[in-house]
Amino acid sequence: MPLGGPDGGDGGRGGSVIVEGVANLNTLIDFRYKQHFKAKNGQHGMGRNRTGESADDLIIPVPIGTQIFMEDGETLLADITEAGQRIILAKGGDGGQGNVHFKSGANRAPRRKTPGWPGEEMWVWLRLKLLSDAGLVGLPNAGKSTFLAAVSRAKPKIADYPFTTLKPQLGVVYIDETEFVLADIPGLIEGAHEGHGLGHRFLKHVERCGVILHLVDVTLEDVVDAYKTIRTELGEYSEILAEKREILALSKCDAMDAKEITKIRKKLEKAAKKPVMLVSAATGKGVKEVLRELNIEIKKFREEEANLPE
């Protein structure tokens, strides 16, 4: 301004890119179709000492259980474990300074200004680990989806061929005036820890479960081998998985007579060195007993977690 001195205001701050955990999301599928996110620039400073408006932050909603890795795919930046949790991924830049900042007794009409400071940018990998209290594991077609459909309102795809379930399903189970979340983990096969079959895509979800319900199809020729296959895969993938609380049950017990089931049960108990429960999701036999046992183990797990040091 002629004879009026400097009056250039500061620029506004640029928006930050923030990731927020949201309870009602359970998949990262949206990021397959949109992979670039950019917060807006702050507004330029203006005359009459007017500061530019700062831009709003860009909030990206993600499911609870999302892990954020650096571009190398190995360095963990953040682990979203609860609703409302926010992580600043890329901080917005600060606005530049207008010429009013450079006014002095010697320089009454400065023409100097500074540009805004650049914001951050980065590439990240998002991976989802489902958060559930208990996870259903077993060979393909062991009756996991049928069991989940019988005990919750989840509607997994059910058919009499392997790998019907291609993504984990979550269901809320109510038993004895309490509730817990049960996840149907897609069928594992021999070599899963090396990525065979659906491999690593689903073993990671079992890590988040407090308790494992291991279903073995009673109609298989060798139930002991089926049990050991899954136990081996869990142990090879992670020591944490191998040490998790496990409830073992023979499924599809409506498909065989009681005498034969008793023989198979004793054989499996001897190999597993733990009690084996009997269940038929189709008829409801043994379902409540298994759920009650799961609930007891989940409560024990929650108590242990609550007593762990920070």
PDB file of all heavy atoms in Angstrom, residues 1 48 87 162 243 248 303:
ATOM      1  N   MET A   1       0.862  -1.202   0.000  1.00  0.00           N
ATOM      2  CA  MET A   1       0.000   0.000   0.000  1.00  0.00           C
ATOM      3  C   MET A   1       0.888   1.238   0.000  1.00  0.00           C
ATOM      4  O   MET A   1       1.777   1.350   0.844  1.00  0.00           O
ATOM      5  CB  MET A   1      -0.889   0.034   1.248  1.00  0.00           C
ATOM      6  CG  MET A   1      -2.042  -0.962   1.229  1.00  0.00           C
ATOM      7  SD  MET A   1      -3.024  -0.828   2.736  1.00  0.00           S
ATOM      8  CE  MET A   1      -3.681   0.838   2.547  1.00  0.00           C
ATOM      9  N   ARG A  48      -4.174  -6.343   3.832  1.00  0.00           N
ATOM     10  CA  ARG A  48      -4.844  -5.887   5.068  1.00  0.00           C
ATOM     11  C   ARG A  48      -4.565  -6.849   6.222  1.00  0.00           C
ATOM     12  O   ARG A  48      -5.401  -7.063   7.087  1.00  0.00           O
ATOM     13  CB  ARG A  48      -6.357  -5.746   4.862  1.00  0.00           C
ATOM     14  CG  ARG A  48      -6.734  -4.748   3.783  1.00  0.00           C
ATOM     15  CD  ARG A  48      -8.225  -4.632   3.671  1.00  0.00           C
ATOM     16  NE  ARG A  48      -8.601  -3.802   2.523  1.00  0.00           N
ATOM     17  CZ  ARG A  48      -9.851  -3.622   2.102  1.00  0.00           C
ATOM     18  NH1 ARG A  48     -10.845  -4.240   2.734  1.00  0.00           N
ATOM     19  NH2 ARG A  48     -10.107  -2.869   1.074  1.00  0.00           N
ATOM     20  N   ILE A  87      -4.134 -41.554  13.733  1.00  0.00           N
ATOM     21  CA  ILE A  87      -2.697 -41.495  13.490  1.00  0.00           C
ATOM     22  C   ILE A  87      -2.442 -40.490  12.375  1.00  0.00           C
ATOM     23  O   ILE A  87      -3.054 -40.577  11.300  1.00  0.00           O
ATOM     24  CB  ILE A  87      -2.134 -42.870  13.050  1.00  0.00           C
ATOM     25  CG1 ILE A  87      -2.435 -43.951  14.089  1.00  0.00           C
ATOM     26  CG2 ILE A  87      -0.630 -42.777  12.771  1.00  0.00           C
ATOM     27  CD1 ILE A  87      -1.710 -43.788  15.403  1.00  0.00           C
ATOM     28  N   PRO A 162     -14.360 -77.640  -0.855  1.00  0.00           N
ATOM     29  CA  PRO A 162     -13.335 -76.876  -0.135  1.00  0.00           C
ATOM     30  C   PRO A 162     -13.246 -75.428  -0.600  1.00  0.00           C
ATOM     31  O   PRO A 162     -13.625 -75.082  -1.708  1.00  0.00           O
ATOM     32  CB  PRO A 162     -12.041 -77.631  -0.465  1.00  0.00           C
ATOM     33  CG  PRO A 162     -12.467 -78.975  -0.928  1.00  0.00           C
ATOM     34  CD  PRO A 162     -13.805 -78.794  -1.558  1.00  0.00           C
ATOM     35  N   GLU A 243       0.764 -71.421  20.951  1.00  0.00           N
ATOM     36  CA  GLU A 243       0.524 -71.375  22.397  1.00  0.00           C
ATOM     37  C   GLU A 243      -0.875 -70.862  22.764  1.00  0.00           C
ATOM     38  O   GLU A 243      -1.209 -70.763  23.937  1.00  0.00           O
ATOM     39  CB  GLU A 243       1.586 -70.479  23.051  1.00  0.00           C
ATOM     40  CG  GLU A 243       2.997 -71.080  22.960  1.00  0.00           C
ATOM     41  CD  GLU A 243       4.063 -70.095  23.372  1.00  0.00           C
ATOM     42  OE1 GLU A 243       3.708 -68.966  23.789  1.00  0.00           O
ATOM     43  OE2 GLU A 243       5.250 -70.449  23.266  1.00  0.00           O
ATOM     44  N   LEU A 248     -10.929 -78.110  21.180  1.00  0.00           N
ATOM     45  CA  LEU A 248     -10.953 -79.066  20.072  1.00  0.00           C
ATOM     46  C   LEU A 248     -12.315 -79.755  20.019  1.00  0.00           C
ATOM     47  O   LEU A 248     -12.835 -80.213  21.041  1.00  0.00           O
ATOM     48  CB  LEU A 248      -9.836 -80.098  20.272  1.00  0.00           C
ATOM     49  CG  LEU A 248      -9.691 -81.210  19.235  1.00  0.00           C
ATOM     50  CD1 LEU A 248      -9.486 -80.651  17.838  1.00  0.00           C
ATOM     51  CD2 LEU A 248      -8.531 -82.128  19.627  1.00  0.00           C
ATOM     52  N   GLU A 303      -8.939 -61.565  31.081  1.00  0.00           N
ATOM     53  CA  GLU A 303      -8.365 -61.253  32.402  1.00  0.00           C
ATOM     54  C   GLU A 303      -6.846 -61.200  32.328  1.00  0.00           C
ATOM     55  O   GLU A 303      -6.206 -60.322  32.903  1.00  0.00           O
ATOM     56  CB  GLU A 303      -8.809 -62.310  33.421  1.00  0.00           C
ATOM     57  CG  GLU A 303     -10.265 -62.156  33.852  1.00  0.00           C
ATOM     58  CD  GLU A 303     -10.738 -63.335  34.711  1.00  0.00           C
ATOM     59  OE1 GLU A 303      -9.876 -64.137  35.121  1.00  0.00           O
ATOM     60  OE2 GLU A 303     -11.960 -63.435  34.938  1.00  0.00           O
TER      61      GLU A 303
END
